[in-house]
């Protein structure tokens, strides 16, 4: 019996909370990185470096010498998907091995894991549709959804398992949700701007037909609204003494301003590839900072200890 128990203990391989948080953070970083490398594929006109999917060519799963540097870039980005998936799988296994078992973590970890192949399939569809700009935009937004899920998992790991309680008044929580919705809409419209611009991913790829100047103005208007809401949140949080939420709003404003500067400079300098890539990284940071504000408006309390079991009364005369 003792041997069986020792075997069970050895197979469990318990994972510490610190390791679990580090793996979750690595998953966020990896998913942001693959957005940036995916941008590099498009900005170097390597979107059809592998002209089909899931193979790289009709006869090979890997790039060939005849395909040149574009094939290497596109195939390299496909390989990175496996690395991101391995990290996500490691997070799932770590959640299962963590003791005590944390409720709510496994669905998030599994969601991130399955989101990666789903995002890869959308990426394959972009190739099969010759880089249709609407599908390319959906591919980017799918990556944003995976990043958001990975961030929520990372924050959830750091929290206890008790009930959620707000740290700011209800109207300010509503304003934070409105800001989050506007942030998401700015990301969506940003994909429309990209789909109307020159960086199609391949010289023969179609554009979405929207007027670049007009849709860029719509995008800029959304950014102005987002910055205005963020500034309003900052001062409102300070007015109610919510220091943690105010700091999160200040970080969001700083990221938005940096992203806005990059956006305007790239527009007036005719969209140089380096700045477009920096703008894609900035989009990921805006998303993460927005979610940071949302999390700062609430906190999760420690779980209540289980109630002690009531002693069972012995029947009268049982000890006789």
């Amino acid at each position: 019996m003792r041997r069986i128990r020792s075997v069970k203990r050895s197979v469990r391989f318990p994972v510490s909370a610190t390791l679990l948080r580090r793996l979750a953070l690595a998953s966020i970083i990896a998913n942001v990185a693959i957005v940036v490398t995916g941008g590099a594929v498009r900005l170097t006109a390597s979107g059809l470096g592998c002209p089909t999917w899931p193979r790289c060519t009709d006869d090979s799963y890997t790039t060939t010498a005849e395909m040149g540097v574009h094939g290497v870039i596109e195939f390299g980005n496909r390989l990175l998907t496996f690395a991101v998936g391995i990290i996500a799988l490691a997070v799932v296994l770590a959640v299962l091995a963590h003791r005590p078992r944390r409720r709510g973590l496994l669905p998030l970890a599994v969601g991130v894991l399955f989101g990666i192949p789903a995002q890869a399939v959308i990426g394959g569809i972009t190739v099969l549709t010759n880089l249709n700009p609407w599908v390319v935009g959906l591919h980017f937004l799918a990556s944003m959804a995976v990043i958001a899920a990975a961030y929520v998992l990372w924050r959830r790991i750091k929290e206890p398992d008790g009930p959620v309680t707000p740290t700011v008044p209800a109207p300010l929580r509503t304003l934070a949700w409105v800001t989050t919705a506007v942030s998401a809409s700015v990301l969506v419209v940003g994909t429309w701007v990209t789909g109307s611009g020159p960086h199609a991913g391949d010289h023969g790829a179609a554009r979405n037909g929207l007027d670049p100047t007009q849709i860029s103005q719509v995008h800029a208007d959304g950014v102005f609204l987002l910055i205005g809401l963020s500034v309003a949140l900052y001062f409102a949080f300070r007015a109610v003494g919510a220091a943690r939420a105010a700091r999160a709003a200040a970080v969001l404003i700083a990221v938005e301003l940096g992203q806005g500067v990059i956006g305007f400079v790239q527009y007036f300098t005719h969209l140089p590839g380096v700045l477009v890539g920096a703008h894609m990284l900035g989009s990921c940071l805006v998303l993460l900072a927005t979610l940071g504000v949302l999390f700062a408006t609430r906190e999760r309390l420690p779980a209540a200890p289980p109630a002690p079991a009531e002693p069972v009364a012995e029947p009268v005369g049982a000890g006789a």
Side-chain angles (χ1 to χ4, degrees):
M1 178 67 87
R2 288 181 181 175
R3 182 177 297 175
I4 294 174
R5 287 178 181 172
S6 65
V7 170
K8 284 184 178 179
R9 290 194 191 100
S10 64
V11 214
R12 283 182 179 177
F13 297 110
V15 171
S16 67
T18 301
L19 177 57
L20 189 55
R21 284 196 298 269
R22 288 175 179 172
L23 285 172
L25 180 60
S27 181
I28 297 173
I29 295 171
N31 279 285
V32 171
I34 202 168
V35 168
V36 176
T37 59
V41 171
R42 180 167 55 83
L43 296 170
T44 57
S46 303
L48 295 178
C50 288
T52 188
W53 188 88
R55 294 174 182 263
C56 194
T57 70
D58 289 334
D59 303 317
S60 173
Y61 280 99
T62 62
T63 184
T64 61
E66 293 78 11
M67 300 170 69
V69 66
H70 293 308
V72 172
I73 293 173
E74 164 65 5
F75 181 68
N77 190 63
R78 292 187 182 188
L79 286 180
L80 282 177
T81 302
F82 290 98
V84 177
I86 289 171
I87 294 174
L89 177 60
V91 173
V92 172
L93 296 177
V95 167
L96 291 172
H98 180 64
R99 294 293 183 274
R101 183 68 61 84
R102 299 282 308 281
R103 64 168 193 220
L105 297 188
L106 187 59
L108 287 169
V110 171
V112 172
L113 177 61
F114 281 93
I116 292 167
Q119 185 258 16
V121 168
I122 298 174
I125 295 173
T126 66
V127 173
L128 298 177
T129 57
N130 293 317
L131 305 181
N132 181 293
W134 299 106
V135 183
V136 172
L138 179 61
H139 188 215
F140 173 79
L141 295 176
S143 296
M144 293 294 103
V146 175
I147 291 172
Y151 178 83
V152 172
L153 173 61
W154 177 66
R155 291 297 298 259
R156 184 68 186 85
I157 290 170
K158 299 172 66 176
E159 294 180 331
D161 288 327
V164 174
T165 179
T167 57
V168 299
L172 293 188
R173 286 211 72 191
T174 301
L175 183 58
W177 276 106
V178 170
T179 304
T180 303
V182 172
S183 181
S185 68
V186 166
L187 289 176
V188 172
V189 177
T191 65
W192 301 349
V193 175
T194 300
S196 69
H199 296 292
D202 185 80
H203 299 299
R207 302 285 72 206
N208 59 20
L210 299 176
D211 181 82
T213 303
Q214 292 181 355
I215 196 62
S216 294
Q217 184 61 57
V218 172
H219 183 57
D221 292 341
V223 171
F224 289 138
L225 175 59
L226 178 60
I227 293 176
L229 288 171
S230 303
V231 171
L233 278 175
Y234 172 75
F235 285 107
F237 288 152
R238 289 195 60 180
V240 298
R244 184 168 69 98
R247 285 194 299 271
V251 170
L252 175 59
I253 293 169
V255 173
E256 289 168 349
L257 291 176
Q259 176 75 333
V261 168
I262 295 173
F264 278 108
V265 172
Q266 72 169 4
Y267 180 78
F268 290 109
T269 55
H270 307 292
L271 303 172
V274 173
L275 288 183
V276 175
H279 200 59
M280 293 184 69
L281 173 61
S283 298
C284 299
L285 298 180
V286 168
L287 171 65
L288 294 173
T290 304
L291 294 174
V293 170
L294 206 55
F295 268 83
T297 63
R298 33 76 85 205
E299 63 181 359
R300 193 178 288 273
L301 302 176
E310 296 183 3
V312 181
E314 291 188 4
V316 179

